[in-house]
Amino acid sequence: MSYATKRYWFYTFVTLFTFVVPFITVNDNHLLLLSFEKLQFHFMGLTYDVNEFYIMPFLLMFLFIGIFALTSILGRAWCGWGCPQTIFRTIYRDLIQGTLLDLRNTTNKQKRMNTSPLENTIKVIVGFLLWTLIALTASTNFIWYFVPPEDFFTYMQHPQDHLFIIIFIATTAAFLIYDIVWMQESFCTYLCPYSRIQTVLYDDDTKHVVYNTNRGAEECTTCEACVKICPTHIDIRQGLQLECINCLGCVDACSAVMGKLGKKSLIEWSTPKSVLHHVQSTVFSKRNIMYFIAMAGSLIFAAVAASDQEQVLVNINKTNELYKEKNGVVSNNYIVNIHNTQKQTYTYDVKVEDKNFHIDSFEALTLKSDGMRKRVLVISTNQNLSQSDRRDSALKVKLTIFAKEDPKISAVKEISFMYPRAQ
């Protein structure tokens, strides 16, 4: 099976996977969702509120370190096999223009389209309209990772009330149209920052497209099949270049030509050490081992952070008034925001853990699942703090916010209780 066939199957899998993921839920939570409306992050069936986004830095660390590790081991495999830019260009250039409309020679990507006949002009317009439809579909799919599909389809029943979503989809689609139709591979060559860092991450153990210079001078037939098939218009015989996206089209082309001569391809997806020096390469180089350790550490820290998920989310802020004093009794006012993250309705109350303090005012909150409301909390003390000779002017007070129906569902918060110093 050629690399091109493998890529097409992989593109199909990636496309279907990307479309299906927003619809997958575990325990009524999405597999992957970043909701700005609800300020929640869903990951692998778990939900994290904005106050619990401490897991995000570890996941981002894993993502970026993983990109470095992948590049160090497999070169720009992402660019050729998983990047939306490459997949979209393949759909538009090879599938729509090449196969469906017969406007391009898919084996010679250096040859420009002939758009002069009226028939071809009509085909170009048809191809543009088809890609516009695909771009709108892809843009809609993209927003499902921020607005869940069930909410999206409800919102679209009244689109005039959700113009931001409409504008977002239209803007993203417009970018995809401009990028794929007009910028084409120039995006990979000139704009994508990934190509600029690949040379820093490559070494002789990195697997990428390698032209065998040891055999090339004597065995190359100069058919230039490898040049004609290249979507970024480079000659791999001149060595690895920034524009190479590891699509491996040149490997297929050379394999077809050299195979007729009973010889092995001059271009391989391998490592320079294996092809040029005939030495077994390894993925367990010192640099890669450090990448693996860093990735494992990121996942461990993320797992620890995820396991510390709070059962109820509470945010307590003091009001603008520092404190009140009446007959030597000092009291403080707070705004308590409680978010019920459970799947059923609970009534939440507050208690003070320090016997020297007591609650003067707080009304218990009954919240439905995912409900969130605020209450004023007034705490006072029976200590005569106005005559205190302490150097500071604040005490730490521990509060427990709990569900009356199930006290195990609780959160412990520490607040600052302000009081006047003795004159």
Side-chain angles (χ1 to χ4, degrees):
M1 183 184 295
S2 67
Y3 284 117
T5 303
K6 294 177 182 178
R7 277 193 298 118
Y8 295 152
W9 278 111
F10 190 75
Y11 292 167
T12 303
F13 168 77
V14 170
T15 302
L16 293 176
F17 180 79
T18 304
F19 268 87
V20 169
V21 164
F23 294 92
I24 299 177
T25 58
V26 180
N27 297 325
D28 295 328
N29 298 323
H30 286 267
L31 197 66
L32 181 62
L33 173 70
L34 180 58
S35 174
F36 291 105
E37 180 184 14
K38 298 180 180 179
L39 297 179
Q40 291 181 341
F41 175 57
H42 293 205
F43 182 69
M44 302 300 290
L46 299 175
T47 302
Y48 299 92
D49 193 80
V50 65
N51 296 331
E52 300 176 295
F53 271 17
Y54 41 73
I55 189 178
M56 290 292 289
F58 302 115
L59 294 179
L60 290 175
M61 287 170 58
F62 177 82
L63 174 63
F64 283 104
I65 296 173
I67 291 174
F68 295 153
L70 178 68
T71 307
S72 177
I73 297 171
L74 297 177
R76 291 180 68 180
W78 161 256
C79 293
W81 294 71
C83 179
Q85 166 78 16
T86 303
I87 297 176
F88 290 154
R89 275 297 294 164
T90 302
I91 292 173
Y92 182 66
R93 181 194 60 228
D94 296 349
L95 178 61
I96 296 178
Q97 292 184 329
T99 303
L100 296 181
L101 303 176
D102 195 26
L103 286 171
R104 283 183 179 271
N105 184 348
T106 56
T107 61
N108 188 351
K109 295 182 173 59
Q110 312 305 320
K111 190 175 182 180
R112 298 180 64 87
M113 291 190 304
N114 182 12
T115 58
S116 55
L118 178 60
E119 180 183 356
N120 284 2
T121 302
I122 295 174
K123 288 183 178 180
V124 169
I125 296 174
V126 171
F128 178 81
L129 294 176
L130 286 175
W131 174 247
T132 299
L133 180 61
I134 294 174
L136 288 170
T137 304
S139 302
T140 304
N141 174 239
F142 179 60
I143 205 171
W144 289 341
Y145 286 88
F146 303 96
V147 179
E150 61 271 19
D151 292 344
F152 174 82
F153 292 116
T154 301
Y155 295 160
M156 289 302 98
Q157 295 177 11
H158 305 282
Q160 67 278 4
D161 297 331
H162 303 279
L163 291 179
F164 177 79
I165 295 179
I166 303 297
I167 294 173
F168 183 90
I169 293 175
T171 303
T172 305
F175 170 77
L176 290 178
I177 293 170
Y178 174 74
D179 176 28
I180 302 303
V181 177
W182 281 282
M183 287 192 65
Q184 304 177 9
E185 279 74 23
S186 295
F187 180 89
C188 306
T189 303
Y190 301 110
L191 294 183
C192 181
Y194 189 28
S195 63
R196 307 299 166 184
I197 66 170
Q198 67 167 339
T199 53
V200 180
L201 301 173
Y202 277 25
D203 59 20
D204 285 345
D205 287 314
T206 301
K207 195 170 185 178
H208 59 84
V209 179
V210 180
Y211 176 70
N212 194 333
T213 54
N214 296 336
R215 298 170 48 207
E218 297 180 357
E219 300 182 34
C220 180
T221 63
T222 64
C223 65
E224 296 194 344
C226 58
V227 178
K228 295 175 182 178
I229 199 65
C230 180
T232 56
H233 314 295
I234 65 172
D235 187 348
I236 195 62
R237 296 173 298 178
Q238 297 177 5
L240 182 64
Q241 296 153 65
L242 292 176
E243 297 83 356
C244 179
I245 60 173
N246 259 12
C247 68
L248 307 182
C250 55
V251 180
D252 287 337
C254 190
S255 297
V257 174
M258 299 303 291
K260 295 177 181 179
L261 302 177
K263 296 181 180 181
K264 185 180 178 181
S265 174
L266 295 172
I267 309 173
E268 301 180 49
W269 188 47
S270 186
T271 66
K273 184 180 289 186
S274 298
V275 175
L276 304 178
H277 307 294
H278 305 291
V279 177
Q280 184 67 34
S281 59
T282 177
V283 298
F284 297 105
S285 63
K286 292 181 179 180
R287 182 173 61 178
N288 290 343
I289 290 175
M290 293 305 299
Y291 283 141
F292 296 149
I293 294 174
M295 291 169 63
S298 300
L299 287 180
I300 291 173
F301 284 119
V304 172
S307 65
D308 196 31
Q309 187 179 17
E310 297 184 17
Q311 296 175 315
V312 54
L313 299 176
V314 180
N315 189 24
I316 303 177
N317 296 311
K318 272 193 67 43
T319 59
N320 294 331
E321 189 175 29
L322 197 60
Y323 58 83
K324 288 183 179 180
E325 181 185 6
K326 185 177 182 180
N327 299 326
V329 177
V330 181
S331 62
N332 282 200
N333 296 348
Y334 304 87
I335 301 295
V336 181
N337 186 22
I338 301 178
H339 181 190
N340 179 21
T341 59
Q342 303 300 311
K343 298 300 182 184
Q344 62 189 74
T345 301
Y346 283 106
T347 300
Y348 291 95
D349 206 348
V350 179
K351 65 179 180 180
V352 184
E353 299 298 339
D354 192 328
K355 63 181 181 180
N356 295 316
F357 295 85
H358 55 84
I359 297 175
D360 287 347
S361 175
F362 183 82
E363 184 180 349
L365 276 170
T366 300
L367 298 174
K368 296 181 179 180
S369 176
D370 202 35
M372 180 170 56
R373 284 166 63 189
K374 295 180 180 180
R375 277 282 192 270
V376 175
L377 169 67
V378 181
I379 296 179
S380 63
T381 177
N382 52 17
Q383 300 181 82
N384 192 359
L385 293 178
S386 62
Q387 301 300 318
S388 174
D389 58 356
R390 292 169 58 98
R391 291 188 177 182
D392 57 2
S393 58
L395 293 174
K396 296 297 182 182
V397 181
K398 187 177 292 186
L399 302 178
T400 299
I401 298 86
F402 63 97
K404 289 185 175 181
E405 296 83 354
D406 185 0
K408 293 181 180 179
I409 300 176
S410 62
V412 178
K413 296 291 181 179
E414 193 175 62
I415 61 174
S416 294
F417 187 90
M418 310 301 296
Y419 63 91
R421 290 184 179 178
Q423 300 296 327

